[in-house]
Amino acid sequence: MKRGLMAATAAAGMLVSVAACGSGDGGTTGADGFKGQKLTVWVMSGSNPAQWTKQVSAQFAKKTGATVEFKVQQWNGIQQKLSTALSEDSPPDVVEIGNTQTAAYAEAGALADLGDLKKEIGADWNDAFNKAALVDGKQYALPWYAGNRVVMYNKRIWRQAGLKGTPATRAELFRAFDAIKKKTDAEPLYLPGQNWYFFDGLTIGTGADLVKKQGGRWVSNLGDPKVAKAMDLYKRYQTFSTAPKNKDEATPQQAEVFAKGRTGAVIAMGYEAATAVKANPDIKKDIGFFTIPGERADKPEGVFLGGSNFAVAGMGKKQELAKEFLKVALSKQNDGQMVKEAGWTPKSADLAGAARENPAAAAAAPAAEKSGGTTPLIPQWAAVENVPNPIKSYMTAVLGGKSPADAARDIAPEIDARLAKK
């Protein structure tokens, strides 16, 4: 998933009745029967860090005698490209799919059932991570990585404001923003009006559902008072920011804004620190992270767990070899490497040590465990996230002065129409 576009957009032209068929790698089974074969794995741009890729490739070759070819794909237009590829006779063997896209491809019959493999290698994975790989109770993918937002803050600015330590509650966080506003010339928080991933987390924290079943079909649930409560909380955060109300965190890249050294904090993914350092190497010494605090110290703010799953093509001819690849790629060692190298959130307790080696991952872990969730895991949801995103329009409308109820009523027809698409 493209960072900032982590959730899936609509899978336009989704596969038409693709029958998932079994395969047996030409009749060979077991790790010794694959010598000389090549496995094709589609990954999205930026997903596979260098050291992880190197060690997975070497381990896979040593275990199976086969080689793996990683083909990097761009996020722009990937839904149509992937839909076409998975419906062909020779699809890529393993594909990376955004965790909110998986249900749509599974419903189309494009993915192999990986239930037995999950039992073998992922018995201890956090349910919040694995939930997005399940469709109607069946395991059609395996979670590769996921992450949630944390507070990335400028230590120098916080010191100038007389702040010591990091906030444990939301009230303490807002007091810290007030102190930065009063005692420094920096902006306390840079929060664009359409950072809908953060808003999704707030809805998760309030227990809100963005859609509901009505008359046998899915419809908008933005009018739920719980959604309004989440939006009111988002408005409170946004009062500390002068960022545009009609832009998202990628327009411009918020990490590049943070890199200028005039911003106290941003609500960010851990990898955004690298973006900031690339823009301004001197900022590195000032970057810190902490968990987004909630109302109580023992319950962090709700967070959206955005990430990607690995899936095996249902029409693939090398499904057994693909499963051998997944055993290697998703081993504890290699999952730990993803956490250390890219700052993703640990998906099992055994990876806590790896998280301690990456400050962003360590800050993300408590919220992922206690307050993490996803957008609705239904095939129809992909269409809701298509550009222009109606959730973003709702957010801007409320920040512009419209009541949450009125904004929800105005945008509901568009959301309902997208949910009704076949």
Side-chain angles (χ1 to χ4, degrees), residues 353-386:
R356 286 193 289 271
E357 297 185 38
N358 187 300
E369 180 182 356
K370 297 180 180 180
S371 311
T374 66
T375 49
L377 297 175
I378 57 174
Q380 298 90 335
W381 181 252
V384 176
E385 297 179 352
N386 202 10

mmCIF file of all heavy atoms in Angstrom, residues 353-386:
data_model
loop_
_atom_site.group_PDB
_atom_site.id
_atom_site.type_symbol
_atom_site.label_atom_id
_atom_site.label_comp_id
_atom_site.label_asym_id
_atom_site.label_seq_id
_atom_site.Cartn_x
_atom_site.Cartn_y
_atom_site.Cartn_z
ATOM 1 N N GLY A 353 10.486 -7.567 21.187
ATOM 2 C CA GLY A 353 11.897 -7.225 21.194
ATOM 3 C C GLY A 353 12.311 -6.474 19.943
ATOM 4 O O GLY A 353 13.089 -5.523 19.999
ATOM 5 N N ALA A 354 11.765 -6.894 18.808
ATOM 6 C CA ALA A 354 12.072 -6.202 17.556
ATOM 7 C C ALA A 354 11.532 -4.784 17.587
ATOM 8 O O ALA A 354 12.167 -3.847 17.079
ATOM 9 C CB ALA A 354 11.477 -6.980 16.377
ATOM 10 N N ALA A 355 10.371 -4.601 18.191
ATOM 11 C CA ALA A 355 9.775 -3.270 18.269
ATOM 12 C C ALA A 355 10.629 -2.328 19.099
ATOM 13 O O ALA A 355 10.708 -1.128 18.806
ATOM 14 C CB ALA A 355 8.366 -3.353 18.845
ATOM 15 N N ARG A 356 11.288 -2.854 20.129
ATOM 16 C CA ARG A 356 12.121 -2.003 20.974
ATOM 17 C C ARG A 356 13.313 -1.439 20.218
ATOM 18 O O ARG A 356 13.897 -0.435 20.613
ATOM 19 C CB ARG A 356 12.579 -2.785 22.205
ATOM 20 C CG ARG A 356 11.474 -2.990 23.241
ATOM 21 C CD ARG A 356 12.032 -3.473 24.568
ATOM 22 N NE ARG A 356 12.506 -4.846 24.499
ATOM 23 C CZ ARG A 356 11.747 -5.919 24.734
ATOM 24 N NH1 ARG A 356 10.462 -5.762 25.049
ATOM 25 N NH2 ARG A 356 12.243 -7.139 24.662
ATOM 26 N N GLU A 357 13.657 -2.079 19.103
ATOM 27 C CA GLU A 357 14.764 -1.586 18.294
ATOM 28 C C GLU A 357 14.329 -0.483 17.344
ATOM 29 O O GLU A 357 15.167 0.113 16.662
ATOM 30 C CB GLU A 357 15.392 -2.737 17.508
ATOM 31 C CG GLU A 357 16.016 -3.814 18.388
ATOM 32 C CD GLU A 357 16.736 -4.873 17.589
ATOM 33 O OE1 GLU A 357 17.376 -4.514 16.585
ATOM 34 O OE2 GLU A 357 16.662 -6.059 17.967
ATOM 35 N N ASN A 358 13.023 -0.228 17.276
ATOM 36 C CA ASN A 358 12.510 0.840 16.419
ATOM 37 C C ASN A 358 11.560 1.696 17.246
ATOM 38 O O ASN A 358 10.478 1.235 17.626
ATOM 39 C CB ASN A 358 11.786 0.249 15.201
ATOM 40 C CG ASN A 358 11.379 1.307 14.195
ATOM 41 O OD1 ASN A 358 10.622 2.222 14.512
ATOM 42 N ND2 ASN A 358 11.879 1.181 12.977
ATOM 43 N N PRO A 359 11.924 2.936 17.560
ATOM 44 C CA PRO A 359 11.101 3.760 18.452
ATOM 45 C C PRO A 359 9.669 3.953 17.976
ATOM 46 O O PRO A 359 8.739 3.987 18.788
ATOM 47 C CB PRO A 359 11.856 5.097 18.485
ATOM 48 C CG PRO A 359 13.268 4.748 18.145
ATOM 49 C CD PRO A 359 13.166 3.619 17.168
ATOM 50 N N ALA A 360 9.479 4.080 16.661
ATOM 51 C CA ALA A 360 8.124 4.268 16.139
ATOM 52 C C ALA A 360 7.279 3.019 16.364
ATOM 53 O O ALA A 360 6.107 3.102 16.753
ATOM 54 C CB ALA A 360 8.169 4.618 14.661
ATOM 55 N N ALA A 361 7.863 1.859 16.117
ATOM 56 C CA ALA A 361 7.134 0.602 16.330
ATOM 57 C C ALA A 361 6.798 0.409 17.798
ATOM 58 O O ALA A 361 5.701 -0.062 18.139
ATOM 59 C CB ALA A 361 7.964 -0.576 15.814
ATOM 60 N N ALA A 362 7.731 0.762 18.671
ATOM 61 C CA ALA A 362 7.478 0.630 20.105
ATOM 62 C C ALA A 362 6.330 1.525 20.548
ATOM 63 O O ALA A 362 5.497 1.139 21.378
ATOM 64 C CB ALA A 362 8.745 0.975 20.891
ATOM 65 N N ALA A 363 6.257 2.727 19.966
ATOM 66 C CA ALA A 363 5.171 3.649 20.318
ATOM 67 C C ALA A 363 3.838 3.182 19.758
ATOM 68 O O ALA A 363 2.779 3.438 20.346
ATOM 69 C CB ALA A 363 5.492 5.049 19.796
ATOM 70 N N ALA A 364 3.864 2.502 18.627
ATOM 71 C CA ALA A 364 2.624 2.056 17.986
ATOM 72 C C ALA A 364 2.018 0.832 18.651
ATOM 73 O O ALA A 364 0.798 0.639 18.627
ATOM 74 C CB ALA A 364 2.884 1.766 16.512
ATOM 75 N N ALA A 365 2.855 0.002 19.238
ATOM 76 C CA ALA A 365 2.397 -1.296 19.730
ATOM 77 C C ALA A 365 1.261 -1.233 20.755
ATOM 78 O O ALA A 365 0.294 -1.997 20.647
ATOM 79 C CB ALA A 365 3.581 -2.073 20.292
ATOM 80 N N PRO A 366 1.305 -0.355 21.772
ATOM 81 C CA PRO A 366 0.229 -0.380 22.775
ATOM 82 C C PRO A 366 -1.156 -0.106 22.185
ATOM 83 O O PRO A 366 -2.136 -0.754 22.565
ATOM 84 C CB PRO A 366 0.647 0.734 23.746
ATOM 85 C CG PRO A 366 2.122 0.832 23.603
ATOM 86 C CD PRO A 366 2.377 0.592 22.149
ATOM 87 N N ALA A 367 -1.244 0.862 21.274
ATOM 88 C CA ALA A 367 -2.550 1.175 20.688
ATOM 89 C C ALA A 367 -3.029 0.060 19.772
ATOM 90 O O ALA A 367 -4.223 -0.245 19.714
ATOM 91 C CB ALA A 367 -2.480 2.497 19.923
ATOM 92 N N ALA A 368 -2.105 -0.555 19.033
ATOM 93 C CA ALA A 368 -2.496 -1.655 18.153
ATOM 94 C C ALA A 368 -3.114 -2.793 18.945
ATOM 95 O O ALA A 368 -4.110 -3.393 18.543
ATOM 96 C CB ALA A 368 -1.282 -2.146 17.370
ATOM 97 N N GLU A 369 -2.526 -3.073 20.086
ATOM 98 C CA GLU A 369 -2.996 -4.184 20.917
ATOM 99 C C GLU A 369 -4.308 -3.868 21.612
ATOM 100 O O GLU A 369 -5.206 -4.714 21.681
ATOM 101 C CB GLU A 369 -1.927 -4.529 21.952
ATOM 102 C CG GLU A 369 -2.326 -5.674 22.876
ATOM 103 C CD GLU A 369 -1.270 -5.973 23.922
ATOM 104 O OE1 GLU A 369 -0.194 -5.354 23.886
ATOM 105 O OE2 GLU A 369 -1.526 -6.827 24.790
ATOM 106 N N LYS A 370 -4.449 -2.639 22.126
ATOM 107 C CA LYS A 370 -5.595 -2.313 22.971
ATOM 108 C C LYS A 370 -6.707 -1.570 22.245
ATOM 109 O O LYS A 370 -7.873 -1.635 22.666
ATOM 110 C CB LYS A 370 -5.134 -1.470 24.159
ATOM 111 C CG LYS A 370 -4.159 -2.183 25.080
ATOM 112 C CD LYS A 370 -3.743 -1.284 26.232
ATOM 113 C CE LYS A 370 -2.773 -1.968 27.179
ATOM 114 N NZ LYS A 370 -2.367 -1.091 28.299
ATOM 115 N N SER A 371 -6.368 -0.849 21.174
ATOM 116 C CA SER A 371 -7.359 0.047 20.573
ATOM 117 C C SER A 371 -7.380 -0.016 19.054
ATOM 118 O O SER A 371 -7.943 0.863 18.410
ATOM 119 C CB SER A 371 -7.067 1.497 20.997
ATOM 120 O OG SER A 371 -6.870 1.606 22.381
ATOM 121 N N GLY A 372 -6.771 -1.049 18.460
ATOM 122 C CA GLY A 372 -6.666 -1.116 17.007
ATOM 123 C C GLY A 372 -7.877 -1.735 16.338
ATOM 124 O O GLY A 372 -8.578 -2.552 16.920
ATOM 125 N N GLY A 373 -8.109 -1.331 15.118
ATOM 126 C CA GLY A 373 -9.206 -1.890 14.331
ATOM 127 C C GLY A 373 -9.067 -1.469 12.874
ATOM 128 O O GLY A 373 -8.088 -0.837 12.483
ATOM 129 N N THR A 374 -10.049 -1.817 12.070
ATOM 130 C CA THR A 374 -10.018 -1.499 10.648
ATOM 131 C C THR A 374 -11.348 -0.883 10.220
ATOM 132 O O THR A 374 -12.320 -0.872 10.977
ATOM 133 C CB THR A 374 -9.774 -2.749 9.788
ATOM 134 O OG1 THR A 374 -10.893 -3.637 9.912
ATOM 135 C CG2 THR A 374 -8.494 -3.464 10.209
ATOM 136 N N THR A 375 -11.350 -0.394 8.999
ATOM 137 C CA THR A 375 -12.598 0.022 8.381
ATOM 138 C C THR A 375 -13.445 -1.217 8.107
ATOM 139 O O THR A 375 -12.961 -2.340 8.247
ATOM 140 C CB THR A 375 -12.302 0.784 7.072
ATOM 141 O OG1 THR A 375 -11.370 0.023 6.296
ATOM 142 C CG2 THR A 375 -11.716 2.156 7.367
ATOM 143 N N PRO A 376 -14.712 -1.069 7.698
ATOM 144 C CA PRO A 376 -15.573 -2.242 7.491
ATOM 145 C C PRO A 376 -14.954 -3.271 6.541
ATOM 146 O O PRO A 376 -14.528 -2.931 5.436
ATOM 147 C CB PRO A 376 -16.842 -1.634 6.881
ATOM 148 C CG PRO A 376 -16.884 -0.244 7.434
ATOM 149 C CD PRO A 376 -15.451 0.193 7.479
ATOM 150 N N LEU A 377 -14.897 -4.509 6.994
ATOM 151 C CA LEU A 377 -14.273 -5.568 6.201
ATOM 152 C C LEU A 377 -15.323 -6.268 5.351
ATOM 153 O O LEU A 377 -15.646 -7.440 5.540
ATOM 154 C CB LEU A 377 -13.553 -6.548 7.136
ATOM 155 C CG LEU A 377 -12.398 -5.931 7.926
ATOM 156 C CD1 LEU A 377 -11.828 -6.935 8.921
ATOM 157 C CD2 LEU A 377 -11.319 -5.438 6.980
ATOM 158 N N ILE A 378 -15.877 -5.519 4.413
ATOM 159 C CA ILE A 378 -16.866 -6.047 3.473
ATOM 160 C C ILE A 378 -16.382 -5.724 2.066
ATOM 161 O O ILE A 378 -15.692 -4.725 1.842
ATOM 162 C CB ILE A 378 -18.264 -5.436 3.709
ATOM 163 C CG1 ILE A 378 -18.208 -3.905 3.599
ATOM 164 C CG2 ILE A 378 -18.802 -5.860 5.069
ATOM 165 C CD1 ILE A 378 -19.567 -3.231 3.670
ATOM 166 N N PRO A 379 -16.701 -6.559 1.080
ATOM 167 C CA PRO A 379 -16.225 -6.305 -0.281
ATOM 168 C C PRO A 379 -16.640 -4.940 -0.817
ATOM 169 O O PRO A 379 -15.892 -4.311 -1.576
ATOM 170 C CB PRO A 379 -16.887 -7.438 -1.086
ATOM 171 C CG PRO A 379 -17.108 -8.528 -0.099
ATOM 172 C CD PRO A 379 -17.436 -7.837 1.184
ATOM 173 N N GLN A 380 -17.808 -4.453 -0.419
ATOM 174 C CA GLN A 380 -18.325 -3.189 -0.949
ATOM 175 C C GLN A 380 -17.540 -1.975 -0.448
ATOM 176 O O GLN A 380 -17.635 -0.893 -1.034
ATOM 177 C CB GLN A 380 -19.801 -3.026 -0.573
ATOM 178 C CG GLN A 380 -20.718 -4.094 -1.146
ATOM 179 C CD GLN A 380 -20.859 -5.294 -0.214
ATOM 180 O OE1 GLN A 380 -19.987 -5.573 0.609
ATOM 181 N NE2 GLN A 380 -21.972 -6.008 -0.343
ATOM 182 N N TRP A 381 -16.774 -2.141 0.638
ATOM 183 C CA TRP A 381 -16.112 -0.978 1.221
ATOM 184 C C TRP A 381 -15.052 -0.386 0.294
ATOM 185 O O TRP A 381 -14.782 0.819 0.328
ATOM 186 C CB TRP A 381 -15.479 -1.343 2.561
ATOM 187 C CG TRP A 381 -14.807 -0.159 3.199
ATOM 188 C CD1 TRP A 381 -13.463 0.052 3.322
ATOM 189 C CD2 TRP A 381 -15.445 0.977 3.775
ATOM 190 N NE1 TRP A 381 -13.234 1.255 3.939
ATOM 191 C CE2 TRP A 381 -14.435 1.847 4.228
ATOM 192 C CE3 TRP A 381 -16.784 1.356 3.948
ATOM 193 C CZ2 TRP A 381 -14.713 3.064 4.852
ATOM 194 C CZ3 TRP A 381 -17.059 2.570 4.563
ATOM 195 C CH2 TRP A 381 -16.032 3.403 4.997
ATOM 196 N N ALA A 382 -14.422 -1.206 -0.539
ATOM 197 C CA ALA A 382 -13.374 -0.696 -1.425
ATOM 198 C C ALA A 382 -13.880 0.462 -2.269
ATOM 199 O O ALA A 382 -13.156 1.437 -2.507
ATOM 200 C CB ALA A 382 -12.849 -1.819 -2.315
ATOM 201 N N ALA A 383 -15.119 0.382 -2.722
ATOM 202 C CA ALA A 383 -15.670 1.440 -3.567
ATOM 203 C C ALA A 383 -15.833 2.751 -2.811
ATOM 204 O O ALA A 383 -15.722 3.831 -3.393
ATOM 205 C CB ALA A 383 -17.008 0.996 -4.149
ATOM 206 N N VAL A 384 -16.084 2.667 -1.512
ATOM 207 C CA VAL A 384 -16.255 3.884 -0.709
ATOM 208 C C VAL A 384 -14.953 4.675 -0.676
ATOM 209 O O VAL A 384 -14.959 5.909 -0.669
ATOM 210 C CB VAL A 384 -16.716 3.536 0.715
ATOM 211 C CG1 VAL A 384 -16.810 4.788 1.580
ATOM 212 C CG2 VAL A 384 -18.069 2.826 0.681
ATOM 213 N N GLU A 385 -13.834 3.980 -0.679
ATOM 214 C CA GLU A 385 -12.542 4.642 -0.566
ATOM 215 C C GLU A 385 -12.021 5.179 -1.893
ATOM 216 O O GLU A 385 -10.931 5.757 -1.943
ATOM 217 C CB GLU A 385 -11.535 3.670 0.039
ATOM 218 C CG GLU A 385 -11.904 3.260 1.454
ATOM 219 C CD GLU A 385 -10.925 2.286 2.064
ATOM 220 O OE1 GLU A 385 -10.033 1.808 1.337
ATOM 221 O OE2 GLU A 385 -11.052 2.002 3.262
ATOM 222 N N ASN A 386 -12.762 4.992 -2.942
ATOM 223 C CA ASN A 386 -12.322 5.473 -4.247
ATOM 224 C C ASN A 386 -12.313 7.004 -4.264
ATOM 225 O O ASN A 386 -13.050 7.665 -3.538
ATOM 226 C CB ASN A 386 -13.246 4.944 -5.343
ATOM 227 C CG ASN A 386 -12.586 4.946 -6.698
ATOM 228 O OD1 ASN A 386 -11.382 5.175 -6.814
ATOM 229 N ND2 ASN A 386 -13.362 4.693 -7.738
#
